[in-house]
């Protein structure tokens, strides 16, 4: 069974204070690892898809990296508008491979 | 364009009401999904449609009835819901019903009185 664990559960940063969110996963044959941003009461907004260890993707202040066991979402010089819950999900090769397994998310608050 | 739209944004209904949630995408995606999300929890898969045919029903109670009229539209018909069904209902789509990025809509906040 695929498993995803995100840490920390909650993170408070000062504006400009860079940090990283962790997503540890166990999956049989990784087919894709996904990062989403979710604002309260809204649907998840797609950020990145990573497919293989060593892959990195960037978008503005965000950079996602992937190893064989975990993924990091690095936030450089965050701004208050980066405050949101960040969800990680994986799709594996076993079972219904199009059913992603989600982590419980990291709630990020960036103070001005 | 990676937009999935959902209507209504908010819905309040009684336990005896019948209502429907609507979802639309124009990305040419052939797989569409319904999820349910409770506060501070990750989305839970309810249904998957692949090429307009129901391919997965995650043991959802029959008071939830999905419908896919065409490749761009997905409905969720609601009848005789319970207060514990109150949640954010999310629609998503992907190019294929396989390992692929899913794009979510903004959701419908449902309150059952």
């Amino acid at each position: 069974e695929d498993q995803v664990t995100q840490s920390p559960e909650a993170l408070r940063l000062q504006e400009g204070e860079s940090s990283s969110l962790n997503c540890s996963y166990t999956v049989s044959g990784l087919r894709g690892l996904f990062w989403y941003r979710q604002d309260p009461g809204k649907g998840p907004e797609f950020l990145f898809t990573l497919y293989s260890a060593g892959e990195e993707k960037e978008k503005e202040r965000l950079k996602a990296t992937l190893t064989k066991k975990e993924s990091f979402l690095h936030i450089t010089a965050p701004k208050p508008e980066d405050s949101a819950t960040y969800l990680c999900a994986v799709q594996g090769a076993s079972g219904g491979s199009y059913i992603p397994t989600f982590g419980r998310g990291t709630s990020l608050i960036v103070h001005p | 364009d990676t937009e999935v739209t959902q209507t209504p944004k908010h819905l309040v209904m009684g336990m005896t009401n019948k209502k429907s949630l609507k979802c639309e995408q124009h990305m040419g995606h052939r797989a569409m999904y319904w999820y349910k999300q409770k506060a501070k929890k990750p989305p839970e898969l309810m249904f998957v449609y692949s090429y307009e045919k129901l391919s997965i029903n995650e043991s959802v109670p029959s008071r939830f009835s999905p419908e896919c009229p065409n490749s761009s539209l997905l409905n969720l018909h609601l009848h005789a819901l319970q207060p514990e069904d109150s949640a954010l209902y999310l629609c998503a789509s992907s190019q294929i019903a396989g390992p692929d990025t899913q794009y979510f809509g903004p959701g419908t906040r449902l309150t059952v009185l």
Side-chain angles (χ1 to χ4, degrees), chain A residues 62-101:
Chain A
L62 301 176
K63 179 180 179 180
T65 62
L66 181 63
T67 73
K68 290 185 177 180
K69 293 184 178 180
E70 57 192 350
S71 177
F72 291 94
L73 185 65
H74 307 277
I75 304 177
T76 301
K79 298 182 178 182
E81 53 262 42
D82 295 322
S83 299
T85 294
Y86 290 84
L87 293 170
C88 173
V90 297
Q91 284 181 336
S94 62
S97 63
Y98 43 93
I99 301 174
T101 299

Side-chain angles (χ1 to χ4, degrees), chain A residues 16-56:
Chain A
E17 179 186 3
S18 301
S19 188
S20 297
L21 313 182
N22 179 264
C23 172
S24 296
Y25 65 90
T26 304
V27 66
S28 177
L30 180 70
R31 304 297 289 272
L33 184 142
F34 311 92
W35 283 100
Y36 292 91
R37 169 199 169 121
Q38 186 171 27
D39 293 303
K42 304 282 182 63
E45 174 190 346
F46 170 71
L47 294 174
F48 305 107
T49 302
L50 302 169
Y51 295 101
S52 57
E55 190 174 0
E56 299 182 352

Side-chain angles (χ1 to χ4, degrees), chain B residues 1 17 34 49-50 76 79 99 102:
Chain B
D1 183 12
N17 291 157
W34 280 115
Y49 272 83
S50 176
L76 186 63
H79 175 54
Q102 294 185 13

Side-chain angles (χ1 to χ4, degrees), chain B residues 27-78:
Chain B
M27 296 178 278
H29 289 176
R30 302 316 301 265
M32 297 185 76
Y33 312 79
W34 280 115
Y35 287 84
K36 172 182 177 179
Q37 187 177 27
K38 292 278 204 177
K40 300 190 184 301
K41 295 286 181 64
E44 296 177 35
L45 184 69
M46 300 174 71
F47 302 104
V48 180
Y49 272 83
S50 176
Y51 290 86
E52 300 156 50
K53 294 191 187 309
L54 183 64
S55 61
I56 290 182
N57 176 339
E58 290 287 291
S59 302
V60 179
S62 60
R63 57 187 184 267
F64 295 92
S65 175
E67 177 196 20
C68 190
N70 60 55
S71 61
S72 300
L73 293 174
L74 187 65
N75 298 321
L76 186 63
H77 302 297
L78 314 172

